[in-house]
Amino acid sequence: MAVLEILEFPDSRLRTVAKPVKNVDDRIRTLIDDMFETMYDAPGIGLAASQIDVHEQIVVIDVSEDRSEPLVFINPEISVLDQEIFEYDEGCLSVPGFYETVARPQHIRVKALDRNGESFVMEPEGLLAVCIQHENDHLLGKLFVDYISPLKRNRIRGKMEKLHKQKSS
């Protein structure tokens, strides 16, 4: 397993729309293992393959306190079950150090493949539902900063660009 580099906003590669996984094989399972290691190392509760510059529809999530509930979503399809909106302070491994309130549906249905290519359906609520939607957005080339005002987004962009310049000099 390996800890992979996480792309950071405003990297344009984060805007790439991910393609469906055609075959869940050993390459995909190795990638999933590397994604979990990368996510836990960061540390975070979710990671989309798009964030590590792999533009395939793969998401890993673990919202447990003790890292005991790893979940894999390959080719996720999301539908809203309840129009009730949940506001949550979201952060992102691709926008480290920044948190903003984002409103999302609280109860969803997700249909996906697991790490073995088996189809499953779940109907999460609360934090897990928010996390799945956040990570699925990455697969669509969207970031949580797209939900906030242009002023706040531009301020975050400026701070991130400044940090990237400092790191590279």
Side-chain angles (χ1 to χ4, degrees), residues 2 18-19 32 45 64-65 68 106 110 124 130 143 150 161 166:
K19 294 185 176 5
I32 288 166
I45 61 171
S64 69
E65 292 289 324
S68 64
Q106 179 168 304
V110 60
V130 166
L143 301 170
E161 288 171 342
Q166 290 172 346

Side-chain angles (χ1 to χ4, degrees), residues 39-84:
M39 179 188 75
Y40 289 139
D41 181 70
I45 61 171
L47 184 70
S50 299
Q51 293 176 270
I52 55 166
D53 203 22
V54 175
H55 302 287
E56 296 181 81
Q57 294 180 7
I58 305 168
V59 166
V60 298
I61 292 174
D62 189 341
V63 296
S64 69
E65 292 289 324
D66 60 357
R67 301 178 176 180
S68 64
E69 298 172 27
L71 298 169
V72 174
F73 301 88
I74 299 172
N75 302 337
E77 298 172 23
I78 294 175
S79 55
V80 176
L81 292 179
D82 184 344
Q83 294 300 323
E84 184 178 352

Side-chain angles (χ1 to χ4, degrees), residues 20-36:
V21 172
K22 293 189 186 322
N23 185 30
V24 179
D25 55 17
D26 287 343
R27 178 187 70 83
I28 295 295
R29 284 186 282 277
T30 298
L31 176 62
I32 288 166
D33 292 341
D34 290 346
M35 287 175 65
F36 272 116

Side-chain angles (χ1 to χ4, degrees), residues 156-168:
I156 291 171
R157 175 191 299 272
K159 289 178 180 179
M160 291 297 296
E161 288 171 342
K162 185 177 178 182
L163 280 171
H164 294 146
K165 283 180 187 170
Q166 290 172 346
K167 284 181 187 176
S168 63

